Amino acid sequence: MPPRSQPSERQRRLGAELKKLRLRAGLSGDQAANLIDADRGRVSNIEAGRVDVPRNGLHKLLRAYGCAEGALFEGLMTMAQDRGKGWWDGYRNTMGRPALDLAELEARASGISTHELLVIPGMFQTADYARAVCETADEDDAAAIDRYVCFRLDRQRLLAGEAAAPYHAVIHEGALHTRVGSPQVMRKQLLRLIEVARAPHITVQVFPFEAGAFSAFSRTFAIFGGPTPELDTVRLEQPVTSAVLHDPVHLDRYARLFARLSELALPPIDPDSSPESHEDRDSLSLIQHLMYAL
């Protein structure tokens, strides 16, 4: 089978981790190739995510690279055996590689932490709000908009079920003020935000204006938990595309960044509490205030 031209993010990540381990072990590409009875070109393709490595071959490489059996070892073995199949298969001919990679990242994550500056996170968007976002993005293809909205709503299935992974969102207050669609669309969207926070695995916090500019300097990003911290992934949202980071320095930086954002944000939504119990300002009281003001 010829090398794939568009490896998925999971495939690229597996290759990058193998290369990192090989270099740390001080082995050359030729030495790695000898371990699996291959040539150096195949090792290069494995490390670029363009071809798969058989289970037995991966086991040999990890052992030779000094990767002890444990969470990282098993995590890499699982990544290699994963076929990348999921609900997103139905979109393979209509959505780009970045969108499919996002869906797979979300589905495989042990937990997700996200910081959003300007709009409500896609996981929490209503259909009308999502459509208004797509229309605002200078998209005039009605069929494409329908496709984007359906894809975004399908992603939300991740939040359902008893086995759903923890999801923690820190949303800048500016996103709650930004008018997306009509006042009615915004009102329903804010209500939806309160409703999703009722789930025990979902935490929603608002980063208020008075907390300062710290949130603005951190941009929009998401952290996807891996089977072990070394396999976490950071995804940065950018105007045209997105950037994916998995260097240990970046992982540590964004983990600390999110912890600080959460610390500075208002207390999370607790929909079970009554309005009368809100002696101090919290995320729920702010969202309700904005919702009733529309």
Side-chain angles (χ1 to χ4, degrees), residues 15-36:
E17 291 298 322
L18 290 176
K19 182 176 182 178
K20 184 192 307 179
L21 290 170
R22 176 176 64 78
L23 294 176
R24 187 181 301 166
L27 296 178
S28 67
D30 288 328
Q31 289 173 311
N34 289 334
L35 291 169
I36 56 174

Side-chain angles (χ1 to χ4, degrees), residues 62-63 65-74:
L62 292 178
R63 284 295 185 88
Y65 294 166
C67 182
E69 291 197 27
L72 178 59
F73 188 101
E74 293 303 324

